[in-house]
Amino acid sequence: MKAVIQRVLKASVTVDGEVISSIGKGLCVLVGISRDDTEADMEYLARKLLNLGIFEDDNGKRWNLSVRDKNLEILCVSQFTLYHVLKGNKLDFHCAMPAESSEEFYNRFLKLLRTQYKDDFVKDGKFGAYMTVNIENDGPVTVELESPSKKSKEGDGQN
């Protein structure tokens, strides 16, 4: 699994001209699921996302508190294009999990986040829909995460 995490002042998702989800200060997370992802990848990404020190504390110390520490919201948006491969100038998505199985996987990921954090603080877009995502980046701060199983398969062994 991959996640592109942006610290935001606010974010929202619009489908067919209607805002279907929005948050205030917190994290907007673009989530990619590969065809090889497992429950371990899901658990890793959820744990890292909830505990990532991306906010400053009340004393002004940067990179010290997590979204959980600050009781902030999370807006997740499924984005299969994170698992692209370029073939010349053409995008190929054969590394992404097929839509039939990725929707169920993504919903389990959301459920895990809601269970480990706060149900009403984890919001999402509409799986498979054409969405407009409005992000007011704070910083700007953007962090990429990838579950370690991909890295170890590629031979660098980082966890």
Side-chain angles (χ1 to χ4, degrees):
M1 288 183 78
K2 287 183 184 180
V4 175
I5 302 162
Q6 295 194 320
R7 187 176 71 187
V8 299
L9 295 175
K10 62 182 175 181
S12 64
V13 175
T14 302
V15 176
D16 295 328
E18 178 185 343
V19 174
I20 62 163
S21 196
S22 65
I23 64 167
K25 188 171 183 169
L27 299 177
C28 183
V29 184
L30 307 176
V31 180
I33 303 168
S34 89
R35 62 175 49 258
D36 299 322
D37 282 333
T38 66
E39 292 291 321
D41 297 297
M42 183 187 304
E43 291 166 3
Y44 173 87
L45 202 62
R47 183 177 68 253
K48 289 295 185 182
L49 176 62
L50 292 173
N51 295 300
L52 181 66
I54 199 168
F55 297 95
E56 76 179 35
D57 64 22
D58 293 337
N59 298 319
K61 184 175 178 186
R62 291 183 174 193
W63 318 114
N64 197 35
L65 298 177
S66 69
V67 70
R68 181 185 305 212
D69 296 330
K70 300 278 283 182
N71 288 308
L72 301 174
E73 296 174 294
I74 301 169
L75 175 61
C76 291
V77 179
S78 175
Q79 189 161 358
F80 74 93
T81 59
L82 292 178
Y83 276 103
H84 73 277
V85 175
L86 282 177
K87 292 188 174 182
N89 290 326
K90 184 173 173 150
L91 293 170
D92 180 290
F93 303 108
H94 72 274
C95 294
M97 185 179 284
E100 313 81 59
S101 40
S102 63
E103 182 172 13
E104 189 266 331
F105 192 95
Y106 176 70
N107 287 330
R108 287 194 345 255
F109 174 68
L110 291 174
K111 183 177 181 182
L112 178 63
L113 280 177
R114 289 174 174 136
T115 301
Q116 292 184 359
Y117 187 39
K118 296 179 180 182
D119 185 50
D120 56 338
F121 276 40
V122 178
K123 308 209 174 139
D124 69 300
K126 183 175 181 182
F127 188 91
Y130 185 89
M131 296 175 269
T132 301
V133 182
N134 294 300
I135 301 168
E136 190 173 320
N137 198 310
D138 181 21
V141 173
T142 302
V143 176
E144 294 178 87
L145 286 179
E146 186 168 10
S147 54
S149 64
K150 304 300 165 297
K151 295 176 186 171
S152 60
K153 287 178 188 173
E154 294 168 5
D156 73 0
Q158 293 180 357
N159 290 325

